[in-house]
């Protein structure tokens, strides 16, 4: 929990090393270090004042975790997208610019890609936002650590068809290691994001993806 107190690199490593070690022993090697660090609730203005300070924090954490788990591939996290919001978020572009050195030393780079319609899904401001990262760091592997259409008025079937098209589009991309949708389910507060809600056992989105043709 980064929302109440500063979290030093040493404290962070002490809090995650046990769970990380369990996953590491099962063969997991790719780990994202922190999540949306330009949000106040995720450390901005509490643990780091800006992207440069987060970069130093990230590199310290990376060094310590690599000592414990030498084969781990530690990624620079995806940022919360958008401009400055007082008391909530630092502008993602400015934050990333200041953390440029740390991003360059990361084993891979995370990026979030969100859109409102099919056109946005194919735009560099939306579903293809990863292209900006690839141009900046062409040798780096990119993971889309969160993607989706957050518009509440769009039916699940339409979102499912968009997500299927998105995965098909990504198959032709080089340098994209994986893409993770947000989100399968949530207890509350993510009604426009989830693939299924409440006690539902079926998901229209999952059925559309499951019935795809791989030809």
């Amino acid at each position: 929990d980064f929302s109440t107190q500063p979290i030093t690199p040493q404290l962070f490593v002490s809090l995650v090393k046990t769970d990380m070690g369990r996953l590491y022993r099962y063969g997991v090697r790719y780990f994202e270090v922190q999540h949306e660090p330009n949000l106040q609730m995720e450390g901005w203005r509490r643990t780091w004042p800006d992207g440069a300070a987060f970069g130093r924090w990230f590199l310290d954490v990376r060094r310590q975790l690599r000592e414990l788990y030498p084969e781990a591939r530690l990624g620079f996290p995806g940022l919360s997208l958008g401009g400055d919001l007082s008391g909530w978020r630092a502008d993602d572009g400015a934050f990333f610019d200041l953390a440029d050195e740390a991003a360059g030393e990361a084993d891979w780079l995370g990026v979030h890609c969100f859109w409102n319609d099919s056109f946005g899904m194919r735009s560099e401001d939306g579903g293809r936002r990863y292209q900006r990262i690839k141009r900046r760091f062409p040798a780096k592997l990119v993971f889309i650590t969160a993607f989706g259409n957050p518009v509440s008025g769009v039916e699940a079937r339409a979102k499912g068809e968009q997500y299927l098209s998105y995965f098909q589009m990504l198959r032709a991309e080089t340098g994209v290691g994986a893409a993770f949708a947000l989100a399968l389910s949530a207890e509350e507060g993510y009604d426009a994001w989830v693939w299924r809600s409440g006690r539902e056992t079926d998901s229209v989105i999952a059925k559309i993806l499951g019935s795809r043709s791989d030809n």
Side-chain angles (χ1 to χ4, degrees), residues 26-173:
Y26 276 114
V28 176
R29 290 294 180 268
Y30 289 84
F31 297 87
E32 185 179 30
V33 178
Q34 190 46 3
H35 168 78
E36 297 187 331
N38 59 323
L39 291 182
Q40 186 160 305
M41 65 184 294
E42 300 292 356
W44 174 58
R45 287 191 172 177
R46 289 192 171 95
T47 297
W48 41 80
D50 54 28
F54 171 72
R56 293 189 292 272
W57 183 94
F58 172 88
L59 292 175
D60 197 351
V61 167
R62 179 175 179 268
R63 177 185 58 77
Q64 294 185 51
L65 289 176
R66 288 292 287 272
E67 290 175 356
L68 295 171
Y69 309 113
E71 296 179 9
R73 308 292 291 168
L74 301 169
F76 188 93
L79 302 179
S80 174
L81 303 180
D84 286 312
L85 287 176
S86 180
W88 178 254
R89 180 179 63 207
D91 177 84
D92 67 291
F95 192 94
F96 191 82
D97 286 343
L98 290 172
D100 184 85
E101 181 179 351
E105 293 193 33
D107 296 315
W108 55 272
L109 302 174
V111 61
H112 293 176
C113 298
F114 303 127
W115 62 85
N116 296 335
D117 52 35
S118 296
F119 176 80
M121 185 189 76
R122 294 174 173 82
S123 166
E124 285 196 10
D125 292 324
R128 280 196 159 113
R129 195 176 186 88
Y130 57 86
Q131 293 283 16
R132 299 181 181 184
I133 302 294
K134 289 177 63 177
R135 281 198 299 272
R136 191 161 178 172
F137 295 98
K140 291 286 184 185
L141 183 66
V142 173
F143 278 15
I144 301 168
T145 53
F147 77 80
N149 180 334
V151 179
S152 58
V154 179
E155 294 183 353
R157 176 163 295 280
K159 290 186 179 182
E161 290 171 353
Q162 288 178 15
Y163 296 172
L164 177 56
S165 295
Y166 192 60
F167 280 126
Q168 291 170 336
M169 181 180 75
L170 292 176
R171 294 174 93 179
E173 291 284 358

